[in-house]
Amino acid sequence: MAEANRIFDDIAGARPIFTIQTPKGVVRAVELENGMKASVRGFSSQPSRPTIQIEGFGSKTIKIRFA
């Protein structure tokens, strides 16, 4: 999770980061300068796999899951 948070913080830069509490755990999210959104969480569809998610325009979503 530490590596996922470090990479997310690099992506976020100096932009404000929002914290969202969900039933599965905490999600940290940011809106990028181009309007896309990025988030990091300590869970995924496969439990306890940290995930960085980048939501593009339309239906484009990139998920990076860590081992």
Side-chain angles (χ1 to χ4, degrees), residues 37-58:
K37 295 177 182 162
S39 62
V40 64
R41 60 186 186 266
F43 56 90
S44 70
S45 57
Q46 300 171 355
S48 67
R49 287 193 64 188
T51 301
I52 293 176
Q53 181 170 319
I54 301 170
E55 296 176 27
F57 302 108

Side-chain angles (χ1 to χ4, degrees), residues 20-38:
I20 304 161
Q21 182 65 45
T22 72
K24 291 185 177 183
V26 175
V27 177
R28 295 173 61 221
V30 66
E31 185 171 337
L32 304 175
E33 61 188 57
N34 62 3
M36 294 178 16
K37 295 177 182 162

